[in-house]
Amino acid sequence: MARMTDEEADALDELWTHTTPEIDTGKPGFLTRQGFTMVSLDPVTATYLQAKAAVSHRSLSEIIGELVRRELVAGT
């Protein structure tokens, strides 16, 4: 995953400092339409997933999807 440059971080900070995000516009936003769900992970799980992604050259979504499908097949 690429890191932000200092200039990009400053621009993003400036944007969020001076922009009020819209809440509840009455219609689903981009992330909702794309099926995006924010998940908070503990540090051990995050490190494991990132290491597995780096070794296998797959995205975190692919790895998590595989783990979930494996659990579904196992019936747990």
Side-chain angles (χ1 to χ4, degrees):
M1 176 182 272
R3 297 209 178 254
M4 267 192 252
T5 64
D6 288 340
E7 293 80 19
E8 290 170 328
D10 290 340
L12 188 60
D13 178 56
E14 193 70 24
L15 172 70
W16 285 110
T17 300
H18 298 291
T19 304
T20 303
E22 290 184 23
I23 308 294
D24 192 24
T25 60
K27 58 183 179 180
F30 172 77
L31 295 177
T32 302
R33 289 191 304 269
Q34 297 301 315
F36 180 84
T37 303
M38 174 93 45
V39 177
S40 179
L41 301 173
D42 63 272
V44 173
T45 303
T47 302
Y48 170 80
L49 289 172
Q50 290 170 343
K52 192 143 177 94
V55 169
S56 65
H57 303 289
R58 294 183 300 163
S59 70
L60 294 175
S61 296
E62 291 171 321
I63 293 169
I64 293 169
E66 177 186 321
L67 292 170
V68 169
R69 284 187 293 280
R70 195 179 307 154
E71 286 291 314
L72 289 172
V73 169
T76 59

